[in-house]
Amino acid sequence: EAQVTQNPRYLITVTGKKLTVTCSQNMNHEYMSWYRQDPGLGLRQIYYSMNVEVTDKGDVPEGYKVSRKEKRNFPLILESPSPNQTSLYFCASSLSRFGEQPQHFGDGTRLSIL
Amino acid sequence: DAKTTQPPSMDCAEGRAANLPCNHSTISGNEYVYWYRQIHSQGPQYIIHGLKNNETNEMASLIITEDRKSSTLILPHATLRDTAVYYCIVRVAGTNAGKSTFGDGTTLTVKP
């Protein structure tokens, strides 16, 4: 089944403890992206990747890192998480990096930073 | 990417057509109009997209005005399961297609 898989789905952790949220897609998609969603707000883009080894900042990149060493994986790294990064996170992928194909979203990861 | 404006909320009677408007008056010629929806806190689901022409698929129809400054998503026979937040976004096509901006969307409530 074609899908975008995020892990973990839920995580409660403490301030300063490094964590990684994984994202994997099995559709050979070029483009991948991370979003966060806070209560009452739409999705805000954190980082995106146009292809392997090509990443760039979205609208809210502070406090996050990403890497794209393989086409299928696009992990989101929080080196020193803080409570303001408590949020619902979504990973998305798209067949083309040129914007003419839709994004497919994962089921989300709910992070709580205490 | 061009900014979009949507009404915060709309109601629709079950079985009737739901018409969701979106304003994108600053859209450029190489920007697509995309519609997604999000049910509760699930991952957004793609519905439909278009550049200039009206589009129809098994889920919905997309009507884009001739000047491309606005569009309407039509759910022809709304059901209770169509209750969701609907996002209209515009996304540039080409080598600068990386950024993707979602607004606040329209909360559609389908009532029995």
Side-chain angles (χ1 to χ4, degrees):
Chain A
E1 181 188 349
Q3 58 187 359
V4 178
T5 303
Q6 298 179 224
N7 280 298
R9 293 291 314 280
Y10 304 91
L11 179 64
I12 301 174
T13 187
V14 295
T15 299
K17 186 177 181 182
K18 180 179 178 179
L19 68 91
T20 299
V21 184
T22 63
C23 174
S24 180
Q25 49 90 8
N26 62 359
M27 298 170 280
N28 200 37
H29 282 180
E30 280 190 314
Y31 175 92
M32 297 185 75
S33 183
W34 276 103
Y35 298 86
R36 63 176 286 174
Q37 186 174 35
D38 300 296
L41 299 179
L43 286 82
R44 293 183 291 169
Q45 192 178 40
I46 303 171
Y47 269 96
Y48 62 90
S49 171
M50 302 286 265
N51 213 330
V52 175
E53 301 291 3
V54 180
T55 63
D56 209 344
K57 297 177 181 179
D59 294 322
V60 289
E62 296 78 19
Y64 304 95
K65 286 176 58 177
V66 293
S67 69
R68 187 98 181 269
K69 293 184 171 60
E70 308 165 278
K71 197 170 188 178
R72 64 184 295 128
N73 296 322
F74 189 45
L76 179 69
I77 303 158
L78 285 72
E79 294 263 354
S80 183
S82 62
N84 65 10
Q85 293 177 300
T86 291
S87 190
L88 179 58
Y89 291 85
F90 291 103
C91 179
S93 71
S94 177
L95 178 64
S96 166
R97 67 182 188 272
F98 295 118
E100 80 280 20
Q101 295 292 327
Q103 296 179 67
H104 301 262
F105 286 81
D107 290 331
T109 295
R110 192 172 292 278
L111 286 184
S112 294
I113 316 293
L114 305 178
Chain B
D1 293 347
K3 181 178 171 57
T4 62
T5 304
Q6 300 177 250
S9 63
M10 292 182 64
D11 291 342
C12 178
E14 188 178 20
R16 304 296 294 269
N19 296 279
L20 290 89
C22 180
N23 182 286
H24 31 80
S25 58
T26 60
I27 195 169
S28 300
N30 65 341
E31 288 183 306
Y32 282 87
V33 179
Y34 280 88
W35 284 84
Y36 294 85
R37 73 180 182 184
Q38 186 177 27
I39 298 172
H40 298 298
S41 296
Q42 297 175 19
Q45 176 190 22
Y46 164 74
I47 302 173
I48 199 167
H49 75 290
L51 185 62
K52 297 180 186 176
N53 300 321
N54 298 337
E55 302 287 345
T56 295
N57 63 20
E58 65 278 4
M59 287 183 69
S61 295
L62 172 61
I63 309 297
I64 302 175
T65 58
E66 193 167 340
D67 63 7
R68 301 185 70 240
K69 293 184 176 183
S70 65
S71 61
T72 301
L73 176 74
I74 301 173
L75 308 177
H77 305 286
T79 71
L80 299 179
R81 287 180 295 180
D82 291 322
T83 292
V85 178
Y86 287 76
Y87 296 101
C88 165
I89 71 167
V90 292
R91 187 152 176 235
V92 69
T95 55
N96 293 322
K99 282 211 170 183
S100 179
T101 302
F102 283 72
D104 295 333
T106 295
T107 299
L108 175 69
T109 303
V110 180
K111 299 186 173 181

